[in-house]
Amino acid sequence: METRIALIGIIVEDLSSTEKINEILHEYADYIIGRMGIPYKNRGIAIISVVIDAPNDKISALSGKLGKLSGVNSKVQYTKA
């Protein structure tokens, strides 16, 4: 199956969702190349970037699951190839 590289940007405004975010990311660990989390204490939020190499349906499913969580916003940027 063909895969694509994508960057998933996650803004967490409800920090109580972080445990569920980590559970979801763990489900897709085989596809994740790397991730970086930045707590922004001045605003009470966290910013997470996840780089993934996966089929389109897996990328969409991951982003969708994250976006359904309370206080979590998730957006995806794909490579062209």
Side-chain angles (χ1 to χ4, degrees), residues 16-72:
S16 67
S17 295
T18 54
E19 186 175 336
K20 187 63 180 164
I21 291 168
N22 286 323
E23 288 175 15
I24 293 169
L25 291 176
H26 183 73
E27 290 176 38
Y28 293 85
D30 291 342
Y31 301 105
I32 294 174
I33 298 168
R35 72 185 256 194
M36 178 178 59
I38 303 169
Y40 190 17
K41 294 179 183 178
N42 290 348
R43 297 272 183 133
I45 64 171
I47 301 112
I48 305 169
S49 60
V50 178
V51 180
I52 187 168
D53 186 359
N56 280 337
D57 61 332
K58 297 289 184 184
I59 297 169
S60 296
L62 171 56
S63 181
K65 286 180 181 181
L66 292 168
K68 288 181 183 178
L69 297 175
S70 174
V72 177

